[in-house]
Amino acid sequence: MNEYTFLITVAIAFLITVLLSPILIPFLRRLKFGQSIREEGPKSHQKKSGTPTMGGVMIILSITITTVFVVLRVNNGVLGYEIFLLLLVLIGFGLLGFLDDFIKVVLKRNLGLTSKQKLLGQLVISVIFYIVLLKEDFATTISVPGTEMSLELGWFYPIFIVVMLVGASNAVNLTDGLDGLLAGTAAIAFGAFAILAWYGIPDLTITLFSLAVVGALLGFLVFNAHPAKVFMGDTGSLALGGAIAAIAILLKMEILLVIIGGVFVLETLSVIIQVISFKTRGKRIFLMSPLHHHYELKGWSEWRVVTTFWAVGILFAILGIYIEVLSA
């Protein structure tokens, strides 16, 4: 195995997404699968109304096709349970997001699935994920970043896994609010895990899957960067959030996800802080949450917000890799 295989994986996923986009985007537009913009959101976003959404379909297709093709080629026709689990979460959460988007854009219910319906779907997929792990006699420990220590969670481990998958999916979903914001920050985070998966363990299949995600997201950015011609919607964001949590779990780098996915954590914390402050004090901490909207309303251009968050994402990724290297 050499670096050329890794480059080819990224290239295949990138090309599939780029080639699918000119076909899928007009198709979504003809079906009137356009994004509805919340009235309470920034006024500058109203011009985005009608932009095709559900572009996450092409991301999921690209990742799936690339992963299956490359892994089968390099692994003597065997996918293995890790790829099965990663695709289970990617496609499962993606279908849940697709249903949410469909309700929003076709049935004109702007909030999509209710929070209870979405949570139930996420819980079912997460439980199936854990059941497969259980059959593989997967360790119920989590590693402490920067050390050789591990914590035994025992009976609490399945709860931890479910909370992690659901939480990461929703955190990544909150980050999808500006052109190119999530595609860029997610590509950085998945790239960091690709590096750790190969140079740390190494785990070939997880490395290839992570690189397929990076390639697909870079291809999507060609059409999603400002001004966006397509949005990934919940179809893409829920799938990506679940997938990155699944990678962290399989690599036994659960806690490290909080660092590498630092942008997603900050976005989620901004919402939690905003809600708690408003309900307890009647005051808002931020002009608007999630955090990226706060900076928009402070007068930052959309492109400035996005590139700043990308830069922060790179710093978190470097920090995560550095901390993991310390324990090697």
Side-chain angles (χ1 to χ4, degrees):
M1 180 56 54
N2 55 49
E3 285 73 12
Y4 289 115
T5 304
F6 299 153
L7 291 174
I8 289 170
T9 302
V10 174
I12 291 173
F14 177 86
L15 288 173
I16 290 175
T17 309
V18 169
L19 293 174
L20 279 176
S21 297
I23 299 172
L24 186 60
I25 293 174
F27 179 69
L28 292 173
R29 188 174 287 113
R30 283 197 298 272
L31 292 177
K32 301 186 184 301
F33 283 6
Q35 178 71 43
S36 297
I37 305 299
R38 293 183 306 164
E39 292 183 4
E40 63 271 23
K43 300 302 180 184
S44 60
H45 286 207
Q46 294 304 316
K47 60 185 178 183
K48 299 182 182 185
S49 182
T51 301
T53 188
M54 302 165 78
V57 169
M58 69 182 84
I59 297 174
I60 295 171
L61 282 174
S62 176
I63 296 169
T64 303
I65 294 170
T66 302
T67 300
V68 172
F69 173 75
V70 176
V71 172
L72 287 177
R73 293 274 294 182
V74 303
N75 211 24
N76 299 318
V78 178
L79 285 177
Y81 84 95
E82 289 180 328
I83 292 300
F84 170 77
L85 284 174
L86 291 170
L87 292 180
L88 166 70
V89 172
L90 179 79
I91 297 172
F93 277 60
L95 287 173
L96 187 64
F98 181 88
L99 181 59
D100 190 42
D101 286 333
F102 187 84
I103 293 173
K104 290 177 184 176
V105 301
V106 177
L107 302 184
K108 305 302 180 185
R109 233 175 67 192
N110 197 35
L111 295 179
L113 291 171
T114 65
S115 57
K116 290 182 179 179
Q117 291 170 334
K118 191 181 295 185
L119 178 60
L120 177 62
Q122 292 171 320
L123 288 174
V124 169
I125 297 166
S126 300
V127 169
I128 295 173
F129 178 92
Y130 176 71
I131 290 173
V132 176
L133 275 187
L134 195 62
K135 291 183 177 180
E136 295 295 330
D137 198 25
F138 200 71
T140 57
T141 58
I142 59 173
S143 300
V144 179
T147 73
E148 296 182 359
M149 294 174 52
S150 60
L151 302 175
E152 174 60 56
L153 297 187
W155 62 268
F156 183 70
Y157 189 71
I159 299 174
F160 177 80
I161 292 300
V162 171
V163 170
M164 189 173 170
L165 286 166
V166 174
S169 179
N170 290 325
V172 171
N173 179 242
L174 288 173
T175 308
D176 187 27
L178 300 177
D179 297 356
L181 176 59
L182 177 54
T185 51
I188 293 164
F190 276 97
F193 275 115
I195 293 171
L196 291 173
W198 182 244
Y199 290 102
I201 296 180
D203 191 307
L204 177 60
T205 55
I206 295 180
T207 302
L208 293 173
F209 177 86
S210 301
L211 291 174
V213 178
V214 173
L217 289 172
L218 292 178
F220 186 72
L221 264 175
V222 174
F223 301 90
N224 182 241
H226 186 71
K229 298 178 179 63
V230 64
F231 301 136
M232 69 172 69
D234 286 1
T235 306
S237 59
L238 291 180
L240 291 171
I244 198 168
I247 287 173
I249 292 166
L250 292 173
L251 290 176
K252 304 305 296 179
M253 297 179 182
E254 298 93 341
I255 298 177
L256 204 63
L257 176 60
V258 177
I259 300 171
I260 292 177
V263 170
F264 312 136
V265 174
L266 291 177
E267 293 274 43
T268 304
L269 285 176
S270 71
V271 174
I272 295 172
I273 292 170
Q274 186 86 321
V275 171
I276 292 175
S277 176
F278 188 75
K279 287 189 174 182
T280 58
R281 302 164 57 240
K283 297 180 180 180
R284 292 180 172 86
I285 302 295
F286 306 101
L287 296 177
M288 180 178 286
S289 64
L291 190 59
H292 53 263
H293 288 321
H294 171 75
Y295 288 104
E296 269 195 295
L297 294 181
K298 283 181 70 71
W300 288 26
S301 69
E302 184 167 351
W303 185 240
R304 181 186 176 188
V305 176
V306 170
T307 53
T308 300
F309 275 55
W310 286 356
V312 173
I314 291 173
L315 292 176
F316 275 125
I318 293 172
L319 177 61
I321 293 170
Y322 176 74
I323 290 174
E324 185 61 24
V325 168
L326 289 178
S327 62

